[in-house]
Amino acid sequence: MGGGEEEFIEADNAEAIITTIEHKSHKIESLLKQYKPVEALKTALEGTQAMTGDERCKTAHWLVVHRAIMAIKDVDGVLSSLDPEYYDILMKCC
């Protein structure tokens, strides 16, 4: 497998991840409209294991997480009540 093929596969994977993040963004907006910011944050943090080193993916993911965090009024309270797995993910993506 040549270097060009590996880059192509990585690009395809990145596009798939971007599409997944876009779908996740719609779900988060729906949760925020229902006044469920904690659920929105958890949704934003789920599935980050599939993230690649692609900067577009990292940026798109951060924007979704940021959107959910900005809707939370008591950030300190929410962060202290997060399950350790979510807190760990949040610390890794910031």
Side-chain angles (χ1 to χ4, degrees):
M1 195 180 221
E5 290 175 24
E6 290 173 12
E7 290 174 19
F8 181 73
I9 292 169
E10 180 72 19
D12 281 352
N13 190 37
E15 290 302 321
I17 291 170
I18 294 288
T19 300
T20 300
I21 293 170
E22 288 172 355
H23 290 299
K24 187 186 290 192
S25 178
H26 294 301
K27 183 175 181 181
I28 289 164
E29 288 301 323
S30 175
L31 288 167
L32 292 175
K33 288 178 184 175
Q34 297 172 46
Y35 302 102
K36 297 180 179 180
V38 176
E39 289 86 352
L41 178 59
K42 288 180 179 180
T43 299
L45 295 173
E46 291 171 350
T48 58
Q49 307 86 309
M51 292 299 288
T52 68
D54 187 284
E55 286 302 316
R56 296 174 303 154
C57 293
K58 289 179 183 178
T59 300
H61 181 254
W62 168 243
L63 290 173
V64 169
V65 171
H66 183 261
R67 173 67 181 105
I69 289 173
M70 294 307 294
I72 296 172
K73 304 240 184 292
D74 178 20
V75 175
D76 288 338
V78 169
L79 292 180
S80 65
S81 70
L82 275 181
D83 293 336
E85 68 180 285
Y86 290 111
Y87 190 79
D88 187 48
I89 294 167
L90 183 60
M91 293 300 105
K92 287 178 182 175
C93 78
C94 294

